[in-house]
Amino acid sequence: MNNYRQPAKLTMLYSRLSRDDELQGESNSITNQRCLLEEFAEKNGFVPYEHVVDDGYSGTGWDRPGWRRLIEEVEAGRVEACVTKDLSRIGRDYLRVGLFMEMFRDRGVRLIAVNDRLDTAEGEDDFTPFRAIMAEWYARDISKKIKASMRTKAMQGKHLTGFPVYGYKQHPTEKGVWVIDEEAAEVVREIFNLCLGGHGPCQIENILNERGVEAPSVHQHKNGINNRGQEVYWGKGIVAKILGRMDYLGHSVIGRTYKKSYKDKRTYENPREDWIVLENTHEAIVEQDVWERVQRLREGSKRKCTKMGEMGPLNGLLYCADCGNKLRIQRDRQTLREYYVCATYASSRTGHRECSIHNTPRHFIEPLILGELRRVTDFAKAHQREFMEQVARLHDRLADDELRGARAEHDKARRRVAKLDVIIKKLYEDNATGRLSNDRFDKMYVDYEAEQTGLQSDLERLSTALAAVQNSQDNARRFLALVKKHTDFSELTPEIVRVFIDRIVIHQAEGYGKNREQEIDVYYNFVGLLKGE
């Protein structure tokens, strides 16, 4: 590139540096690029010139302030030439780079890539498109390497986010380590307790706003934890997100989101079953049983109130013994009394009910459950040893029943597997000799293979039953810990109910009036169904 004439308009010297480029060494630094471009411009008469810099921006994106300004100057007709170190500084998308080169050509702007020895005033060589393609290959390769590196660090329990979630802050000396931010952690604990008390996310946000509690973005900005937040008040689903985060258990979640391509800046949610959970990577803010009860509560009842007002404390915990669906509350128009009714029955067409009513009056079930709670907790508190022995006997009995069934199924499955091996061998022989067509062989083989695969579920049931026997004592102790922690049973509240009760199963009532009888099963957290022996 020799004998350049001095341009009549301004020359733009464009430099760009991303974190990926920093890994490649000092040669790509902004300082190095500026020196290279200034030396080239002064040596070849490209004066006056002006620097345009994008420091910290990836070449796969185009929303860069420096590049936007350069394009605005080009469109305004104030640029004679654009000089850059190489084409990869412009971008790593070969199609977009080609489009910008066409735009420069149409507007009479000379594009010079010094290291690529490209000058559009002298014509483009055949290798120019390949340079752009190789730049994109480089970006794709770097993207894969960064993902692999970040996944490796995440699997080691290191936090990769720039800022901790609300409730935590960075360790003062150890990078990637979270410690509890006590002020915010108290708010997080209160949010979980309010949810257990029957408040929905919107109600909790209103409570926090009325009390003037700082929103997460305000608190973190004030404490230098996060400068990106813009929300001044609690709202827009902040509480719902907090209630669903496993981070407060002390766990880290990998693979919560993904991007379809390194070019796509949008983030997509992965299914929950695809998440990888690393336990105990930092100190927990919320206890495991509290978090689990909140998740069950939120999954079980998204609606907190209706036209009748606030739902009862048992809302979302009552289940139909026959269809397994939840019971929902309804009001009798004549008596104005409220009843819990099987949702399947209530939503079915009249005259073609898919389940029976399974209804139970609210004024009956709530005092009954409160009395049952008092009876069980009083007994557990006064007779701890006897309570633990009773729980163990009940668990053993249930486990024995499951074990007997599982062993019988396992023996049956084992005999069936041996028989299937003989059948499949015979299938191969019949197919090889032509007595069985390929299509028929494929179909029968797939069916038998699926049957063998299904036998694995028997072993899983057996393992579950054994684990139940081994954990019965631990579960009884966890239940007793709840009894000691909660002493006020003067009224039935959503918090008390969800602390102790997992679900309540309602059977179909028999008889009418004074002769009405109804079986109700109460399943407690940790210890399950406590029935008389």
Side-chain angles (χ1 to χ4, degrees), residues 372 375-376 387 390-391 394-395 479 522-524 527-532:
E372 179 67 10
R375 184 188 68 81
V376 171
F387 173 78
Q390 181 181 346
V391 169
L394 289 170
H395 277 238
F479 186 84
V522 180
Y523 290 82
Y524 293 91
V527 294
L529 178 64
L530 298 178
K531 279 191 173 183

Side-chain angles (χ1 to χ4, degrees), residues 17-115:
L17 181 71
S18 68
R19 287 193 303 172
D20 303 339
D21 298 316
E22 290 176 353
L23 300 176
Q24 305 303 311
E26 181 63 23
S27 63
N28 279 323
S29 69
I30 290 295
T31 302
N32 181 277
Q33 292 182 56
R34 289 174 66 102
C35 292
L36 174 69
L37 298 180
E38 286 180 2
E39 180 182 355
F40 179 86
E42 292 173 0
K43 179 179 179 181
N44 294 281
F46 284 95
V47 289
Y49 57 78
E50 184 173 333
H51 281 284
V52 181
V53 178
D54 280 320
D55 195 358
Y57 289 87
S58 171
T60 59
W62 297 93
D63 189 20
R64 310 175 230 143
W67 184 254
R68 287 201 309 269
R69 176 170 168 256
L70 189 151
I71 295 302
E72 289 173 359
E73 295 291 328
V74 169
E75 291 177 341
R78 293 190 287 267
V79 178
E80 175 76 13
C82 174
V83 183
T84 187
K85 177 173 176 263
D86 52 57
L87 283 179
S88 68
R89 298 303 93 201
I90 295 178
R92 296 191 181 276
D93 183 335
Y94 75 95
L95 293 177
R96 294 290 295 274
V97 170
L99 291 174
F100 280 116
M101 290 178 68
E102 288 292 331
M103 188 194 80
F104 284 6
R105 185 183 296 107
D106 293 342
R107 295 181 178 273
V109 177
R110 190 173 178 178
L111 176 62
I112 300 172
V114 179
N115 285 357

